[in-house]
Amino acid sequence: MSRQILRSDIDQMEKRYRANLINSLTGFKAINLIGTVNAQGQTNLAIFNSTVHLGANPPLMGFIQRPVSVRRDTHANILQTKHFTINHLHKGIMEQAHQSAARYDADVSEFEATGLTPYFSDTLPAPYVAESHIRIGLQFRQAIPIPLNNTILMIGEIIEILLPETLLSKDGYLDLEAAGSLTGSGLDGYHQPQKLERLSYAKPDQSISRIPFLQ
Amino acid sequence: MSRQILRSDIDQMEKRYRANLINSLTGFKAINLIGTVNAQGQTNLAIFNSTVHLGANPPLMGFIQRPVSVRRDTHANILQTKHFTINHLHKGIMEQAHQSAARYDADVSEFEATGLTPYFSDTLPAPYVAESHIRIGLQFRQAIPIPLNNTILMIGEIIEILLPETLLSKDGYLDLEAAGSLTGSGLDGYHQPQKLERLSYAKPDQSISRIPFLQ
């Protein structure tokens, strides 16, 4: 049966119920671990489900930072050391990644607390997750405030990509399924995607054709 | 074999190759149809893979609008009539949704061109997609320019949700798999997610437990 939920219904929802529902509405979303380090060398790792592609040239990615009315290590560290990493999840590190969301004391690294391994390249100071298969190193470019709810769009420019050679198609497409990358629903759902199709570039008065995932 | 790609490599990539690769890096992402209407009543439908959850209270969602250096009907219509809809894809409308990306003339509605059916509720002027299972009606709130690449974060406040009653868990979680909602990779990959786990709220010094998808 179809259900209509209006704004007045949303306002009356219990807080956790509303968070679950509204977080489900975007559909399946990217879930990634963001690695940072502060000026004293203390590492931090946090799970985010709000990473977004902003553009390919220059190569920009962003994520939504929740209000900094309480301590937010990821945000503070990026402002201090100007770099962060984005690391894909896979099934083998799903529970450790989820656990990184716990509110640890500031002097505890989520790497140690969850048992994930920091990996440092020569390109940037922020730590990667050694266990992750697809890893992106970014230089912080801009923090754009969203006054409507005090969140912040944090933007980085990609300066390094680490990935298994075999995942990369001749046309630049990355086989995320072969990497085992996961997708998320709501606040706490984890899913493994299964290929349907890659579809050709859409043009008016021309029908779509299927293209191979790996070329 | 592991591969390291540096910023100088990215800059030298052929344009389409770079677009495929950089669009793959966020991981699997939400893909949705955005429905709008202009002041003259002409409807428009466009596929986006950049919708993002901004917050539950007030209930806000956003999407990234590409530069408006060329005609962008979605953007123009939202500024004119202050509303838009976000409609989940499922396998049955995947090809029609993909086709909505074709560059039709301004006087052609993508609803007619793709064969998808506009549905109007009494709550807002923008059209929903009748064939979609999860549909969200939004009032436009703010357009935030991203000067780094001239994209725009378009933000709406949720004023209506239409969904099948059976998808809604007692705790507000929505069963997106039962809805058949898809996830996307790169610019043109479509995937059907398979459930792994819902995991309990993470706390320090407490192990994670599994929770039922539907309660």
Side-chain angles (χ1 to χ4, degrees), chain B residues 83-151:
Chain B
H83 290 85
F84 59 105
T85 69
I86 291 180
N87 306 266
H88 285 210
L89 264 62
H90 57 80
K91 198 176 169 182
I93 59 171
M94 179 179 76
E95 297 196 11
Q96 290 161 295
H98 187 79
Q99 182 64 35
S100 74
R103 191 126 199 94
Y104 293 104
D105 291 337
D107 60 351
V108 174
S109 169
E110 289 79 7
F111 281 101
E112 286 165 45
T114 63
L116 291 168
T117 314
Y119 168 78
F120 294 92
S121 87
D122 291 336
T123 309
L124 70 170
Y128 288 103
V129 176
E131 291 84 355
S132 173
H133 299 153
I134 297 180
R135 296 172 288 177
I136 305 120
L138 302 104
Q139 182 170 6
F140 172 59
R141 288 298 305 274
Q142 197 174 1
I144 299 184
I146 301 173
L148 289 167
N149 66 353
N150 296 317
T151 54

Side-chain angles (χ1 to χ4, degrees), chain A residues 1-7 10 16-30 32 50-61 64 88 91 94-95 98-99 101-104 123 134 136 141-142 144-149 151 153 155 157-165 168-174 176-177 181-183 185 188-204 206 208 210-211 213, chain B residues 1-7 10 16-30 32 50-61 64 88 91 94-95 98-99 101-104 123 136 141-142 144-149 151 153 155 157-165 168-174 176-177 181-183 185 188-204 206 208 210-211 213:
Chain A
M1 213 183 79
S2 185
R3 169 131 171 224
Q4 180 196 42
I5 298 170
L6 293 170
R7 181 54 204 275
I10 298 173
R16 189 80 189 164
Y17 184 100
R18 178 171 54 221
N20 278 329
L21 175 60
I22 305 299
N23 269 279
S24 298
L25 291 180
T26 47
F28 292 105
K29 46 198 169 188
N32 289 296
S50 60
T51 43
V52 65
H53 169 85
L54 292 175
N57 189 20
L60 299 174
M61 290 171 74
I64 304 298
H88 285 210
K91 199 176 167 181
M94 179 178 76
E95 296 197 12
H98 187 78
Q99 182 63 36
R103 190 127 199 92
Y104 292 104
T123 308
I134 297 180
I136 305 119
R141 289 298 307 274
Q142 197 174 359
I144 299 185
I146 302 173
L148 289 168
N149 65 353
T151 53
L153 174 60
I155 303 178
E157 189 163 335
I158 299 171
I159 58 173
E160 185 173 57
I161 306 166
L162 304 175
L163 49 77
E165 179 82 48
L168 193 53
S169 175
K170 283 196 179 64
D171 67 354
Y173 177 88
L174 262 188
L176 301 181
E177 278 193 31
S181 295
L182 304 184
T183 187
S185 62
D188 49 23
Y190 294 86
H191 308 252
Q192 187 106 51
Q194 306 287 325
K195 286 185 184 73
L196 289 173
E197 304 287 353
R198 275 187 78 189
L199 298 176
S200 61
Y201 194 82
K203 294 178 180 174
Q206 188 173 308
I208 290 167
R210 288 161 170 69
I211 53 181
F213 273 90
Chain B
M1 214 183 80
S2 184
R3 169 132 171 225
Q4 179 196 43
I5 298 170
L6 292 170
R7 180 55 204 275
I10 297 173
R16 189 83 188 159
Y17 183 99
R18 178 170 51 221
N20 277 329
L21 175 60
I22 305 299
N23 270 279
S24 299
L25 291 180
T26 47
F28 292 104
K29 47 198 170 189
N32 289 296
S50 62
T51 44
V52 65
H53 169 84
L54 291 176
N57 188 20
L60 299 173
M61 291 172 73
I64 304 298
H88 285 210
K91 198 176 169 182
M94 179 179 76
E95 297 196 11
H98 187 79
Q99 182 64 35
R103 191 126 199 94
Y104 293 104
T123 309
I136 305 120
R141 288 298 305 274
Q142 197 174 1
I144 299 184
I146 301 173
L148 289 167
N149 66 353
T151 54
L153 174 60
I155 302 177
E157 189 163 335
I158 299 171
I159 56 172
E160 185 174 56
I161 306 165
L162 303 175
L163 48 78
E165 178 84 46
L168 193 53
S169 176
K170 282 195 181 65
D171 68 352
Y173 178 87
L174 261 188
L176 301 180
E177 279 193 33
S181 295
L182 304 183
T183 187
S185 63
D188 49 23
Y190 294 86
H191 309 252
Q192 187 107 52
Q194 306 288 324
K195 286 185 183 74
L196 289 173
E197 303 287 353
R198 275 187 80 188
L199 297 176
S200 61
Y201 194 82
K203 295 179 179 173
Q206 189 173 307
I208 291 167
R210 288 160 171 71
I211 52 182
F213 273 90

